[in-house]
Amino acid sequence: MTKVSGPSKKFQALFSLSNGVVVSGAFDGGKLSVVGGAPLVYMVEQASGYVEGVCEGIKDWRLPYLLKYTIFQQVWQRVLLICAGFSAVNDGTYLRKDAAILLAMGIDVGEKRHLASQPTISRLENNIDSKDCYRMALYMLVFYIARRQKAPKEIVLDFDGSCVPAHGDQQGSSYRSYWETNMYFPLFVYDQDGWLICAILRPGREGEARLTVPILKRLVKHLRSAWPSVRIIVRADAAFGTQELYNWCEDQGKADAEKEVYYIVCLKTPPEGNGISGAYDFRAMKEKAARKFGKTFGPTQYTYPKAPSKSAVEKAAKQLPKVERKKELKRLRERVVRVFEDGRYQAGNGGQDPKQWRQERRVVAVCTQDDWGRTSRYFVTNLPVTSRFQSQYLIEELYSARGGMELRIKEYKALEGDKLSCSEFSANQARIIFHALAYNTMFQLRENLPGKRQSWSFESIQKYLLRMAVQVTRKGRHVVMHWASDFQWKREFWSCAARLRPKGAAC
């Protein structure tokens, strides 16, 4: 066996190759980092001032003459590491001297400075109270309004909750049988483009609709003050279908019809009993869909006993060769017929029934007939019956777009926004906001990517642009970052950096 020895005392021998070449190593590479794209995130903050503005709402409880890190430096460190994929507070300790992270903090690598430690960040989270969280959330809304250069004609507000498992016996956590876990139940509000407007932590025992109307009142108040003529549409699933929401939205238009807040919400219970009025019969709609499917495609293929499920058939089709797979999937997806109907309906049995609606409301129905049978869904809305808001548009264009919210919550959780491990409820609310800031920072970064790259998920941005090796050197008054020569996404990187760089900057 070839004797293993390093070329000098500086290097340590590791192993030898089959041809006798010795592989050695030494920790003398200088300032290196695995987060070479972190400065892009810093450029987003420089261009917008988003996180710095939010930090102005946090009251500093510390003695001024003992300060080493400002509130902004601590919060920005937290947000930056979340964006880079290091969401644990401990990561700040491990990366205290990371060159790229220091640059993204606005710190010269030549200075003998480092990041705040885990205890420092933990003290910050635990000293933020409910008033601080309110001011932070308020600035998030103000920034959302200010970032739009022109007043929009219409804004769609998507409301949804999500299960966040608890870690032990935490304040406000409760067991929920549906999810079979101890959990928190935060409420998220996004706009139609995917911007996270509001994120509120709720105790685990709260229902879906809890806090919906109070939050909506505050949002509408600020949106109306900035854009008086904007049309506001609330979009939510069946769990948010409460009379409190319906009544409040409709009451806004009593004095001025233009101030009415519109909603479209899925119904839990099919309105197929008494109480339907109008020109359409929702029961006959199903028969109409079946007849139309038969005339167009013939008999159904998978309605016999023990027939394979839709997912099983699609899974089998995906195993076919590429050309056949496309044809088969296209055939399966084209064999669908949808019938839309529009009518008026008033829920409840009358009398003292607490579930009875105070008036008839517009109900839109869609019956989908495919090879596996029929399915029906019903939606209640106060949108007027106009040429634009026809039943087919309401379902296929307006409400169906709500499916994107599930992806947005998934992206929020991809930043590990479900790691709420603090004991205090207010500290976990602070964490919710920190992850919301990271989400919107990544959202702004994605907006500045070129062309088709704006469809990248946050995980893809982390993988392709942020988590890349870099060597940092300091030459005189310049800090130079050296990335790999064969880096695949260099065009996207430079394009994004050029868009974020301030106009007329000396660099």
Side-chain angles (χ1 to χ4, degrees), residues 39 42 98-109 472 479-481:
Y42 181 55
D98 186 280
I101 295 295
L102 288 174
L103 289 176
M105 288 289 299
I107 299 174
D108 188 345
V109 292
V472 181
V479 175
V480 183
M481 305 185 72

Side-chain angles (χ1 to χ4, degrees), residues 307-434:
S309 64
K310 186 175 183 179
S311 59
V313 173
E314 289 184 345
K315 184 177 179 180
K318 291 177 181 178
Q319 305 302 318
L320 299 173
K322 185 175 182 180
V323 177
E324 297 179 18
R325 178 173 68 243
K326 287 185 176 181
K327 290 182 179 180
E328 180 62 15
L329 290 175
K330 183 180 179 181
R331 185 188 70 84
L332 290 173
R333 291 164 184 170
E334 285 180 346
R335 290 176 62 85
V336 177
V337 167
R338 292 185 178 86
V339 175
F340 301 89
E341 300 291 3
D342 210 320
R344 306 287 297 179
Y345 175 70
Q346 184 174 8
N349 298 318
Q352 301 299 319
D353 187 354
K355 295 184 179 180
Q356 185 181 19
W357 293 350
R358 68 181 183 183
Q359 63 191 40
E360 283 190 340
R361 293 187 169 101
R362 181 186 180 189
V363 173
V364 179
V366 55
C367 180
T368 303
Q369 173 74 53
D370 57 17
D371 283 316
W372 287 267
R374 294 189 299 270
T375 57
S376 301
R377 297 188 72 188
Y378 303 87
F379 305 85
V380 59
T381 181
N382 62 338
L383 285 164
V385 183
T386 61
S387 57
R388 179 191 172 188
F389 296 119
Q390 294 296 327
S391 55
Q392 184 171 356
Y393 170 84
L394 288 179
I395 307 305
E396 291 190 338
E397 300 294 333
L398 182 58
Y399 192 84
S400 293
R402 188 187 175 278
M405 185 174 185
E406 302 297 333
L407 298 177
R408 292 158 193 164
I409 293 180
K410 183 179 179 181
E411 286 192 320
Y412 174 86
K413 290 188 173 183
L415 298 174
E416 299 187 333
D418 54 351
K419 283 192 174 181
L420 305 180
S421 55
C422 297
S423 298
E424 299 293 329
F425 186 84
S426 59
N428 285 318
Q429 173 63 73
R431 282 199 172 188
I432 282 277
I433 294 179
F434 290 163

Side-chain angles (χ1 to χ4, degrees), residues 154-158 190-192 231-235 398:
E154 179 178 285
I155 288 181
V156 180
L157 300 177
D158 282 315
Y190 293 83
D191 75 349
Q192 67 272 22
R231 179 190 291 116
I232 300 175
I233 301 176
V234 177
R235 189 166 56 188
L398 182 58

